[in-house]
């Protein structure tokens, strides 16, 4: 029996970001993730893209990153505003860590319609 016969093909399913393998997040779980990003001192940023461009390296940024934002409600309302403006697009939230100059967290909040 070959090893390949027992392994699944992980490349057949496209997933979206950190939580792409899990069921969709509830509203409370999304708020918890926003609160975590803020608590870590990371800068929240919202990006969107049409589903046809999901695997592109760059997504379009919604406004500027929210430098110094401390209010969960402000980030949540901007996520909703982006989704209302682009209902067919995927909308993701990224938490940028200025110390390591990398993404501390990144996940899709709203999945677009293909």
């Amino acid at each position: 029996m070959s090893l390949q016969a027992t392994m699944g093909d992980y490349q057949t399913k496209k997933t979206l970001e950190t939580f792409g393998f899990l069921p969709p997040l509830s509203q409370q779980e999304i708020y918890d993730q926003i609160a975590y990003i803020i608590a870590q001192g990371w800068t929240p940023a919202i990006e969107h893209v049409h589903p046809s461009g999901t695997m592109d390296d760059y997504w379009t940024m919604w406004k500027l990153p929210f430098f110094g934002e401390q209010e969960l409600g402000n980030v949540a309302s901007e996520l909703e505003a982006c989704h209302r403006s682009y209902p067919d697009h995927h909308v993701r939230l990224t938490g940028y860590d200025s110390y390591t100059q990398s993404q501390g967290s990144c996940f899709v909040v709203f999945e677009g319609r293909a």
Side-chain angles (χ1 to χ4, degrees), residues 25-93:
L25 297 175
S26 69
Q27 191 69 37
Q28 185 58 49
E29 290 170 326
I30 292 169
Y31 288 161
D32 290 344
Q33 291 301 314
I34 296 169
Y36 179 79
I37 288 170
I38 291 171
Q40 297 304 308
W42 297 340
T43 300
I46 299 171
E47 299 171 311
H48 63 92
V49 71
H50 188 271
S52 64
T54 301
M55 296 302 151
D56 292 348
D57 291 330
Y58 299 104
W59 289 28
T60 303
M61 187 166 282
W62 172 259
K63 301 187 177 181
L64 293 173
F66 302 98
F67 297 105
E69 184 60 63
Q70 296 296 310
E71 294 295 323
L72 182 147
N74 293 343
V75 177
S77 64
E78 288 298 330
L79 282 165
E80 292 284 343
C82 181
H83 181 59
R84 280 193 307 275
S85 295
Y86 299 96
D88 293 340
H89 286 199
H90 296 314
V91 178
R92 72 179 175 192
L93 178 65

